[in-house]
Amino acid sequence: MCSSDLNDLIDLAVIAAAGDRPAMPVDQFIPFDPVSKRTEARVRNPDGQTFRVSKGAPQMIAALCLGDGVSADVDAVVDEFAGHGYRSLGVARTDGDGSWRLMGLLGLADPPREDSAATITAARDLGIDVKMVTGDQVAIGREVARQVGLGEQILDAATLDGATDDDLGARVEAIDGFAQVFP
């Protein structure tokens, strides 16, 4: 986070996109936490002042920025990115008074492998019924499934909760896959 020596590819891309900026030492780094769904760092600017920066799940980053009223806007952008098959990453920093401010959302492309569509076709030719299971949002799952020729009937895995064995089998048979973003 904000330090190219961490070798995080997303950080390196963000730093490169930021252009020619003065290097800012990272005084403390907290790696990604699956509970808070974000990373955090304390950074020192050239004047010696410190501030915190964080990146992670957009909803978690928006929650840091309570006074900004950005949650609805964040959700709309995340949904728009998801409809194009992009994952989202939120970025925030603290102001001088320690309040968090949303800096932006990044859309991240993670396209399917080039051979995915051919592999699905080959499996189908062998009589295998291919289903997608992903931890991504339903909209991302639908777009990726469309790109690889799988079909676009991707349902939220929560629809399986409480299903009987017979009903479960019928649901799985009728769709192309399931998506679930884990809380």
PDB file of all heavy atoms in Angstrom, residues 4-40:
ATOM      1  N   SER A   4       6.101   0.798  -3.300  1.00  0.00           N
ATOM      2  CA  SER A   4       6.389  -0.147  -4.366  1.00  0.00           C
ATOM      3  C   SER A   4       7.202  -1.343  -3.887  1.00  0.00           C
ATOM      4  O   SER A   4       7.225  -2.360  -4.537  1.00  0.00           O
ATOM      5  CB  SER A   4       7.119   0.557  -5.501  1.00  0.00           C
ATOM      6  OG  SER A   4       8.326   1.110  -5.045  1.00  0.00           O
ATOM      7  N   ASP A   5       7.836  -1.255  -2.719  1.00  0.00           N
ATOM      8  CA  ASP A   5       8.629  -2.385  -2.247  1.00  0.00           C
ATOM      9  C   ASP A   5       7.757  -3.498  -1.668  1.00  0.00           C
ATOM     10  O   ASP A   5       8.257  -4.555  -1.317  1.00  0.00           O
ATOM     11  CB  ASP A   5       9.682  -1.946  -1.225  1.00  0.00           C
ATOM     12  CG  ASP A   5       9.107  -1.355   0.043  1.00  0.00           C
ATOM     13  OD1 ASP A   5       7.884  -1.141   0.097  1.00  0.00           O
ATOM     14  OD2 ASP A   5       9.886  -1.106   0.975  1.00  0.00           O
ATOM     15  N   LEU A   6       6.448  -3.279  -1.595  1.00  0.00           N
ATOM     16  CA  LEU A   6       5.555  -4.327  -1.105  1.00  0.00           C
ATOM     17  C   LEU A   6       5.228  -5.326  -2.212  1.00  0.00           C
ATOM     18  O   LEU A   6       4.717  -6.394  -1.948  1.00  0.00           O
ATOM     19  CB  LEU A   6       4.264  -3.713  -0.555  1.00  0.00           C
ATOM     20  CG  LEU A   6       4.449  -2.804   0.651  1.00  0.00           C
ATOM     21  CD1 LEU A   6       3.134  -2.164   1.027  1.00  0.00           C
ATOM     22  CD2 LEU A   6       5.017  -3.579   1.817  1.00  0.00           C
ATOM     23  N   ASN A   7       5.512  -4.981  -3.459  1.00  0.00           N
ATOM     24  CA  ASN A   7       5.319  -5.854  -4.608  1.00  0.00           C
ATOM     25  C   ASN A   7       3.886  -6.315  -4.811  1.00  0.00           C
ATOM     26  O   ASN A   7       3.649  -7.376  -5.357  1.00  0.00           O
ATOM     27  CB  ASN A   7       6.259  -7.063  -4.532  1.00  0.00           C
ATOM     28  CG  ASN A   7       7.704  -6.653  -4.662  1.00  0.00           C
ATOM     29  OD1 ASN A   7       8.023  -5.769  -5.445  1.00  0.00           O
ATOM     30  ND2 ASN A   7       8.571  -7.266  -3.888  1.00  0.00           N
ATOM     31  N   ASP A   8       2.921  -5.531  -4.396  1.00  0.00           N
ATOM     32  CA  ASP A   8       1.521  -5.813  -4.666  1.00  0.00           C
ATOM     33  C   ASP A   8       1.215  -5.241  -6.046  1.00  0.00           C
ATOM     34  O   ASP A   8       1.411  -4.046  -6.290  1.00  0.00           O
ATOM     35  CB  ASP A   8       0.646  -5.174  -3.584  1.00  0.00           C
ATOM     36  CG  ASP A   8      -0.822  -5.420  -3.814  1.00  0.00           C
ATOM     37  OD1 ASP A   8      -1.371  -4.811  -4.767  1.00  0.00           O
ATOM     38  OD2 ASP A   8      -1.417  -6.200  -3.059  1.00  0.00           O
ATOM     39  N   LEU A   9       0.759  -6.083  -6.959  1.00  0.00           N
ATOM     40  CA  LEU A   9       0.555  -5.640  -8.337  1.00  0.00           C
ATOM     41  C   LEU A   9      -0.473  -4.522  -8.440  1.00  0.00           C
ATOM     42  O   LEU A   9      -0.333  -3.613  -9.262  1.00  0.00           O
ATOM     43  CB  LEU A   9       0.151  -6.825  -9.214  1.00  0.00           C
ATOM     44  CG  LEU A   9       1.237  -7.888  -9.383  1.00  0.00           C
ATOM     45  CD1 LEU A   9       0.707  -9.047 -10.223  1.00  0.00           C
ATOM     46  CD2 LEU A   9       2.483  -7.308 -10.007  1.00  0.00           C
ATOM     47  N   ILE A  10      -1.514  -4.574  -7.622  1.00  0.00           N
ATOM     48  CA  ILE A  10      -2.522  -3.510  -7.657  1.00  0.00           C
ATOM     49  C   ILE A  10      -1.903  -2.204  -7.162  1.00  0.00           C
ATOM     50  O   ILE A  10      -2.086  -1.153  -7.776  1.00  0.00           O
ATOM     51  CB  ILE A  10      -3.762  -3.895  -6.833  1.00  0.00           C
ATOM     52  CG1 ILE A  10      -4.467  -5.085  -7.502  1.00  0.00           C
ATOM     53  CG2 ILE A  10      -4.722  -2.713  -6.697  1.00  0.00           C
ATOM     54  CD1 ILE A  10      -5.571  -5.702  -6.683  1.00  0.00           C
ATOM     55  N   ASP A  11      -1.150  -2.261  -6.072  1.00  0.00           N
ATOM     56  CA  ASP A  11      -0.482  -1.060  -5.567  1.00  0.00           C
ATOM     57  C   ASP A  11       0.463  -0.486  -6.617  1.00  0.00           C
ATOM     58  O   ASP A  11       0.507   0.733  -6.832  1.00  0.00           O
ATOM     59  CB  ASP A  11       0.317  -1.363  -4.295  1.00  0.00           C
ATOM     60  CG  ASP A  11      -0.557  -1.589  -3.081  1.00  0.00           C
ATOM     61  OD1 ASP A  11      -1.748  -1.248  -3.142  1.00  0.00           O
ATOM     62  OD2 ASP A  11      -0.048  -2.115  -2.078  1.00  0.00           O
ATOM     63  N   LEU A  12       1.232  -1.350  -7.263  1.00  0.00           N
ATOM     64  CA  LEU A  12       2.183  -0.876  -8.268  1.00  0.00           C
ATOM     65  C   LEU A  12       1.458  -0.193  -9.421  1.00  0.00           C
ATOM     66  O   LEU A  12       1.917   0.835  -9.925  1.00  0.00           O
ATOM     67  CB  LEU A  12       3.045  -2.036  -8.768  1.00  0.00           C
ATOM     68  CG  LEU A  12       3.995  -2.634  -7.728  1.00  0.00           C
ATOM     69  CD1 LEU A  12       4.675  -3.885  -8.280  1.00  0.00           C
ATOM     70  CD2 LEU A  12       5.028  -1.626  -7.260  1.00  0.00           C
ATOM     71  N   ALA A  13       0.305  -0.739  -9.832  1.00  0.00           N
ATOM     72  CA  ALA A  13      -0.465  -0.117 -10.917  1.00  0.00           C
ATOM     73  C   ALA A  13      -1.015   1.235 -10.489  1.00  0.00           C
ATOM     74  O   ALA A  13      -0.995   2.197 -11.265  1.00  0.00           O
ATOM     75  CB  ALA A  13      -1.599  -1.045 -11.345  1.00  0.00           C
ATOM     76  N   VAL A  14      -1.496   1.329  -9.254  1.00  0.00           N
ATOM     77  CA  VAL A  14      -2.035   2.601  -8.756  1.00  0.00           C
ATOM     78  C   VAL A  14      -0.929   3.643  -8.656  1.00  0.00           C
ATOM     79  O   VAL A  14      -1.098   4.790  -9.062  1.00  0.00           O
ATOM     80  CB  VAL A  14      -2.743   2.410  -7.394  1.00  0.00           C
ATOM     81  CG1 VAL A  14      -3.094   3.741  -6.758  1.00  0.00           C
ATOM     82  CG2 VAL A  14      -3.992   1.552  -7.564  1.00  0.00           C
ATOM     83  N   ILE A  15       0.221   3.237  -8.157  1.00  0.00           N
ATOM     84  CA  ILE A  15       1.353   4.158  -8.032  1.00  0.00           C
ATOM     85  C   ILE A  15       1.783   4.641  -9.416  1.00  0.00           C
ATOM     86  O   ILE A  15       2.027   5.839  -9.634  1.00  0.00           O
ATOM     87  CB  ILE A  15       2.528   3.495  -7.274  1.00  0.00           C
ATOM     88  CG1 ILE A  15       2.148   3.315  -5.796  1.00  0.00           C
ATOM     89  CG2 ILE A  15       3.809   4.310  -7.409  1.00  0.00           C
ATOM     90  CD1 ILE A  15       3.082   2.404  -5.027  1.00  0.00           C
ATOM     91  N   ALA A  16       1.834   3.736 -10.385  1.00  0.00           N
ATOM     92  CA  ALA A  16       2.218   4.121 -11.749  1.00  0.00           C
ATOM     93  C   ALA A  16       1.198   5.093 -12.349  1.00  0.00           C
ATOM     94  O   ALA A  16       1.569   6.067 -13.007  1.00  0.00           O
ATOM     95  CB  ALA A  16       2.352   2.880 -12.628  1.00  0.00           C
ATOM     96  N   ALA A  17      -0.088   4.842 -12.106  1.00  0.00           N
ATOM     97  CA  ALA A  17      -1.133   5.720 -12.654  1.00  0.00           C
ATOM     98  C   ALA A  17      -1.118   7.092 -11.992  1.00  0.00           C
ATOM     99  O   ALA A  17      -1.535   8.079 -12.599  1.00  0.00           O
ATOM    100  CB  ALA A  17      -2.500   5.072 -12.476  1.00  0.00           C
ATOM    101  N   ALA A  18      -0.632   7.169 -10.753  1.00  0.00           N
ATOM    102  CA  ALA A  18      -0.603   8.440 -10.029  1.00  0.00           C
ATOM    103  C   ALA A  18       0.430   9.399 -10.614  1.00  0.00           C
ATOM    104  O   ALA A  18       0.389  10.601 -10.345  1.00  0.00           O
ATOM    105  CB  ALA A  18      -0.312   8.205  -8.552  1.00  0.00           C
ATOM    106  N   GLY A  19       1.336   8.859 -11.406  1.00  0.00           N
ATOM    107  CA  GLY A  19       2.323   9.731 -12.051  1.00  0.00           C
ATOM    108  C   GLY A  19       3.477  10.062 -11.136  1.00  0.00           C
ATOM    109  O   GLY A  19       3.753   9.380 -10.157  1.00  0.00           O
ATOM    110  N   ASP A  20       4.144  11.155 -11.448  1.00  0.00           N
ATOM    111  CA  ASP A  20       5.345  11.561 -10.738  1.00  0.00           C
ATOM    112  C   ASP A  20       4.960  12.253  -9.436  1.00  0.00           C
ATOM    113  O   ASP A  20       4.674  13.451  -9.405  1.00  0.00           O
ATOM    114  CB  ASP A  20       6.180  12.480 -11.640  1.00  0.00           C
ATOM    115  CG  ASP A  20       7.557  12.726 -11.078  1.00  0.00           C
ATOM    116  OD1 ASP A  20       8.013  11.910 -10.252  1.00  0.00           O
ATOM    117  OD2 ASP A  20       8.175  13.731 -11.462  1.00  0.00           O
ATOM    118  N   ARG A  21       4.942  11.515  -8.372  1.00  0.00           N
ATOM    119  CA  ARG A  21       4.612  12.029  -7.043  1.00  0.00           C
ATOM    120  C   ARG A  21       5.798  11.763  -6.116  1.00  0.00           C
ATOM    121  O   ARG A  21       6.529  10.798  -6.309  1.00  0.00           O
ATOM    122  CB  ARG A  21       3.378  11.326  -6.487  1.00  0.00           C
ATOM    123  CG  ARG A  21       2.190  11.370  -7.408  1.00  0.00           C
ATOM    124  CD  ARG A  21       1.071  12.079  -6.735  1.00  0.00           C
ATOM    125  NE  ARG A  21      -0.096  12.071  -7.597  1.00  0.00           N
ATOM    126  CZ  ARG A  21      -0.844  13.116  -7.814  1.00  0.00           C
ATOM    127  NH1 ARG A  21      -0.562  14.240  -7.240  1.00  0.00           N
ATOM    128  NH2 ARG A  21      -1.878  13.049  -8.599  1.00  0.00           N
ATOM    129  N   PRO A  22       5.964  12.583  -5.109  1.00  0.00           N
ATOM    130  CA  PRO A  22       7.066  12.312  -4.183  1.00  0.00           C
ATOM    131  C   PRO A  22       6.809  11.022  -3.398  1.00  0.00           C
ATOM    132  O   PRO A  22       5.669  10.714  -3.056  1.00  0.00           O
ATOM    133  CB  PRO A  22       7.052  13.524  -3.237  1.00  0.00           C
ATOM    134  CG  PRO A  22       5.706  14.140  -3.395  1.00  0.00           C
ATOM    135  CD  PRO A  22       5.218  13.780  -4.768  1.00  0.00           C
ATOM    136  N   ALA A  23       7.870  10.280  -3.183  1.00  0.00           N
ATOM    137  CA  ALA A  23       7.761   9.045  -2.405  1.00  0.00           C
ATOM    138  C   ALA A  23       7.384   9.386  -0.968  1.00  0.00           C
ATOM    139  O   ALA A  23       7.872  10.372  -0.406  1.00  0.00           O
ATOM    140  CB  ALA A  23       9.083   8.284  -2.438  1.00  0.00           C
ATOM    141  N   MET A  24       6.500   8.599  -0.401  1.00  0.00           N
ATOM    142  CA  MET A  24       6.087   8.801   0.981  1.00  0.00           C
ATOM    143  C   MET A  24       6.334   7.517   1.751  1.00  0.00           C
ATOM    144  O   MET A  24       5.776   6.472   1.404  1.00  0.00           O
ATOM    145  CB  MET A  24       4.612   9.184   1.056  1.00  0.00           C
ATOM    146  CG  MET A  24       4.347  10.574   0.531  1.00  0.00           C
ATOM    147  SD  MET A  24       2.657  11.096   0.825  1.00  0.00           S
ATOM    148  CE  MET A  24       2.031  11.088  -0.830  1.00  0.00           C
ATOM    149  N   PRO A  25       7.162   7.600   2.780  1.00  0.00           N
ATOM    150  CA  PRO A  25       7.467   6.394   3.549  1.00  0.00           C
ATOM    151  C   PRO A  25       6.229   5.860   4.278  1.00  0.00           C
ATOM    152  O   PRO A  25       5.393   6.619   4.754  1.00  0.00           O
ATOM    153  CB  PRO A  25       8.518   6.848   4.564  1.00  0.00           C
ATOM    154  CG  PRO A  25       8.888   8.232   4.211  1.00  0.00           C
ATOM    155  CD  PRO A  25       7.885   8.762   3.254  1.00  0.00           C
ATOM    156  N   VAL A  26       6.147   4.545   4.337  1.00  0.00           N
ATOM    157  CA  VAL A  26       5.082   3.870   5.068  1.00  0.00           C
ATOM    158  C   VAL A  26       5.628   3.566   6.460  1.00  0.00           C
ATOM    159  O   VAL A  26       6.575   2.793   6.611  1.00  0.00           O
ATOM    160  CB  VAL A  26       4.650   2.572   4.345  1.00  0.00           C
ATOM    161  CG1 VAL A  26       3.626   1.807   5.168  1.00  0.00           C
ATOM    162  CG2 VAL A  26       4.108   2.889   2.961  1.00  0.00           C
ATOM    163  N   ASP A  27       5.034   4.209   7.480  1.00  0.00           N
ATOM    164  CA  ASP A  27       5.488   4.006   8.856  1.00  0.00           C
ATOM    165  C   ASP A  27       4.918   2.725   9.464  1.00  0.00           C
ATOM    166  O   ASP A  27       5.543   2.117  10.324  1.00  0.00           O
ATOM    167  CB  ASP A  27       5.072   5.191   9.740  1.00  0.00           C
ATOM    168  CG  ASP A  27       5.821   6.466   9.379  1.00  0.00           C
ATOM    169  OD1 ASP A  27       6.892   6.383   8.751  1.00  0.00           O
ATOM    170  OD2 ASP A  27       5.319   7.554   9.725  1.00  0.00           O
ATOM    171  N   GLN A  28       3.720   2.364   9.034  1.00  0.00           N
ATOM    172  CA  GLN A  28       3.072   1.159   9.564  1.00  0.00           C
ATOM    173  C   GLN A  28       2.194   0.583   8.458  1.00  0.00           C
ATOM    174  O   GLN A  28       1.518   1.327   7.745  1.00  0.00           O
ATOM    175  CB  GLN A  28       2.206   1.498  10.779  1.00  0.00           C
ATOM    176  CG  GLN A  28       1.475   0.301  11.351  1.00  0.00           C
ATOM    177  CD  GLN A  28       0.513   0.692  12.465  1.00  0.00           C
ATOM    178  OE1 GLN A  28       0.078   1.841  12.548  1.00  0.00           O
ATOM    179  NE2 GLN A  28       0.185  -0.249  13.319  1.00  0.00           N
ATOM    180  N   PHE A  29       2.211  -0.735   8.322  1.00  0.00           N
ATOM    181  CA  PHE A  29       1.375  -1.390   7.324  1.00  0.00           C
ATOM    182  C   PHE A  29       0.602  -2.522   7.980  1.00  0.00           C
ATOM    183  O   PHE A  29       1.180  -3.351   8.678  1.00  0.00           O
ATOM    184  CB  PHE A  29       2.235  -1.940   6.178  1.00  0.00           C
ATOM    185  CG  PHE A  29       1.425  -2.673   5.149  1.00  0.00           C
ATOM    186  CD1 PHE A  29       0.643  -1.980   4.247  1.00  0.00           C
ATOM    187  CD2 PHE A  29       1.440  -4.058   5.103  1.00  0.00           C
ATOM    188  CE1 PHE A  29      -0.117  -2.650   3.294  1.00  0.00           C
ATOM    189  CE2 PHE A  29       0.692  -4.727   4.157  1.00  0.00           C
ATOM    190  CZ  PHE A  29      -0.088  -4.027   3.256  1.00  0.00           C
ATOM    191  N   ILE A  30      -0.693  -2.538   7.771  1.00  0.00           N
ATOM    192  CA  ILE A  30      -1.547  -3.618   8.265  1.00  0.00           C
ATOM    193  C   ILE A  30      -2.036  -4.371   7.034  1.00  0.00           C
ATOM    194  O   ILE A  30      -2.778  -3.816   6.210  1.00  0.00           O
ATOM    195  CB  ILE A  30      -2.745  -3.070   9.073  1.00  0.00           C
ATOM    196  CG1 ILE A  30      -2.238  -2.265  10.265  1.00  0.00           C
ATOM    197  CG2 ILE A  30      -3.662  -4.209   9.520  1.00  0.00           C
ATOM    198  CD1 ILE A  30      -3.313  -1.449  10.974  1.00  0.00           C
ATOM    199  N   PRO A  31      -1.609  -5.632   6.866  1.00  0.00           N
ATOM    200  CA  PRO A  31      -1.990  -6.372   5.664  1.00  0.00           C
ATOM    201  C   PRO A  31      -3.495  -6.643   5.602  1.00  0.00           C
ATOM    202  O   PRO A  31      -4.216  -6.444   6.576  1.00  0.00           O
ATOM    203  CB  PRO A  31      -1.205  -7.678   5.765  1.00  0.00           C
ATOM    204  CG  PRO A  31      -0.686  -7.758   7.135  1.00  0.00           C
ATOM    205  CD  PRO A  31      -0.766  -6.401   7.759  1.00  0.00           C
ATOM    206  N   PHE A  32      -3.939  -7.134   4.471  1.00  0.00           N
ATOM    207  CA  PHE A  32      -5.354  -7.414   4.260  1.00  0.00           C
ATOM    208  C   PHE A  32      -5.881  -8.301   5.386  1.00  0.00           C
ATOM    209  O   PHE A  32      -5.273  -9.300   5.755  1.00  0.00           O
ATOM    210  CB  PHE A  32      -5.578  -8.113   2.916  1.00  0.00           C
ATOM    211  CG  PHE A  32      -7.019  -8.399   2.646  1.00  0.00           C
ATOM    212  CD1 PHE A  32      -7.854  -7.403   2.182  1.00  0.00           C
ATOM    213  CD2 PHE A  32      -7.542  -9.660   2.874  1.00  0.00           C
ATOM    214  CE1 PHE A  32      -9.198  -7.653   1.935  1.00  0.00           C
ATOM    215  CE2 PHE A  32      -8.882  -9.931   2.622  1.00  0.00           C
ATOM    216  CZ  PHE A  32      -9.710  -8.920   2.160  1.00  0.00           C
ATOM    217  N   ASP A  33      -7.019  -7.892   5.914  1.00  0.00           N
ATOM    218  CA  ASP A  33      -7.692  -8.628   6.984  1.00  0.00           C
ATOM    219  C   ASP A  33      -9.021  -9.131   6.417  1.00  0.00           C
ATOM    220  O   ASP A  33      -9.848  -8.317   5.995  1.00  0.00           O
ATOM    221  CB  ASP A  33      -7.924  -7.698   8.172  1.00  0.00           C
ATOM    222  CG  ASP A  33      -8.745  -8.323   9.285  1.00  0.00           C
ATOM    223  OD1 ASP A  33      -8.932  -9.548   9.287  1.00  0.00           O
ATOM    224  OD2 ASP A  33      -9.206  -7.566  10.163  1.00  0.00           O
ATOM    225  N   PRO A  34      -9.239 -10.448   6.387  1.00  0.00           N
ATOM    226  CA  PRO A  34     -10.478 -10.960   5.799  1.00  0.00           C
ATOM    227  C   PRO A  34     -11.732 -10.569   6.583  1.00  0.00           C
ATOM    228  O   PRO A  34     -12.830 -10.618   6.036  1.00  0.00           O
ATOM    229  CB  PRO A  34     -10.280 -12.476   5.788  1.00  0.00           C
ATOM    230  CG  PRO A  34      -9.186 -12.748   6.751  1.00  0.00           C
ATOM    231  CD  PRO A  34      -8.347 -11.508   6.830  1.00  0.00           C
ATOM    232  N   VAL A  35     -11.591 -10.140   7.815  1.00  0.00           N
ATOM    233  CA  VAL A  35     -12.753  -9.699   8.586  1.00  0.00           C
ATOM    234  C   VAL A  35     -13.133  -8.269   8.206  1.00  0.00           C
ATOM    235  O   VAL A  35     -14.278  -7.974   7.869  1.00  0.00           O
ATOM    236  CB  VAL A  35     -12.494  -9.816  10.108  1.00  0.00           C
ATOM    237  CG1 VAL A  35     -13.637  -9.230  10.905  1.00  0.00           C
ATOM    238  CG2 VAL A  35     -12.250 -11.270  10.493  1.00  0.00           C
ATOM    239  N   SER A  36     -12.141  -7.369   8.231  1.00  0.00           N
ATOM    240  CA  SER A  36     -12.427  -5.977   7.859  1.00  0.00           C
ATOM    241  C   SER A  36     -12.414  -5.778   6.344  1.00  0.00           C
ATOM    242  O   SER A  36     -12.851  -4.738   5.853  1.00  0.00           O
ATOM    243  CB  SER A  36     -11.412  -5.030   8.504  1.00  0.00           C
ATOM    244  OG  SER A  36     -10.135  -5.197   7.928  1.00  0.00           O
ATOM    245  N   LYS A  37     -11.902  -6.757   5.597  1.00  0.00           N
ATOM    246  CA  LYS A  37     -11.834  -6.749   4.131  1.00  0.00           C
ATOM    247  C   LYS A  37     -11.084  -5.535   3.564  1.00  0.00           C
ATOM    248  O   LYS A  37     -11.481  -4.944   2.572  1.00  0.00           O
ATOM    249  CB  LYS A  37     -13.234  -6.839   3.531  1.00  0.00           C
ATOM    250  CG  LYS A  37     -13.916  -8.162   3.809  1.00  0.00           C
ATOM    251  CD  LYS A  37     -15.260  -8.206   3.145  1.00  0.00           C
ATOM    252  CE  LYS A  37     -15.864  -9.545   3.133  1.00  0.00           C
ATOM    253  NZ  LYS A  37     -16.449 -10.157   4.167  1.00  0.00           N
ATOM    254  N   ARG A  38      -9.984  -5.187   4.244  1.00  0.00           N
ATOM    255  CA  ARG A  38      -9.207  -4.051   3.764  1.00  0.00           C
ATOM    256  C   ARG A  38      -7.786  -4.125   4.315  1.00  0.00           C
ATOM    257  O   ARG A  38      -7.500  -4.895   5.225  1.00  0.00           O
ATOM    258  CB  ARG A  38      -9.867  -2.733   4.155  1.00  0.00           C
ATOM    259  CG  ARG A  38      -9.955  -2.485   5.648  1.00  0.00           C
ATOM    260  CD  ARG A  38     -10.781  -1.239   5.972  1.00  0.00           C
ATOM    261  NE  ARG A  38     -10.746  -0.914   7.369  1.00  0.00           N
ATOM    262  CZ  ARG A  38      -9.841  -0.143   7.959  1.00  0.00           C
ATOM    263  NH1 ARG A  38      -8.872   0.413   7.260  1.00  0.00           N
ATOM    264  NH2 ARG A  38      -9.902   0.095   9.250  1.00  0.00           N
ATOM    265  N   THR A  39      -6.907  -3.317   3.726  1.00  0.00           N
ATOM    266  CA  THR A  39      -5.566  -3.096   4.250  1.00  0.00           C
ATOM    267  C   THR A  39      -5.523  -1.653   4.764  1.00  0.00           C
ATOM    268  O   THR A  39      -6.402  -0.850   4.446  1.00  0.00           O
ATOM    269  CB  THR A  39      -4.482  -3.234   3.158  1.00  0.00           C
ATOM    270  OG1 THR A  39      -4.677  -2.221   2.185  1.00  0.00           O
ATOM    271  CG2 THR A  39      -4.511  -4.591   2.517  1.00  0.00           C
ATOM    272  N   GLU A  40      -4.507  -1.359   5.535  1.00  0.00           N
ATOM    273  CA  GLU A  40      -4.353   0.016   6.019  1.00  0.00           C
ATOM    274  C   GLU A  40      -2.871   0.300   6.209  1.00  0.00           C
ATOM    275  O   GLU A  40      -2.087  -0.594   6.530  1.00  0.00           O
ATOM    276  CB  GLU A  40      -5.090   0.204   7.349  1.00  0.00           C
ATOM    277  CG  GLU A  40      -5.075   1.636   7.842  1.00  0.00           C
ATOM    278  CD  GLU A  40      -5.910   1.840   9.103  1.00  0.00           C
ATOM    279  OE1 GLU A  40      -7.002   1.263   9.200  1.00  0.00           O
ATOM    280  OE2 GLU A  40      -5.439   2.588   9.981  1.00  0.00           O
TER     281      GLU A  40
END
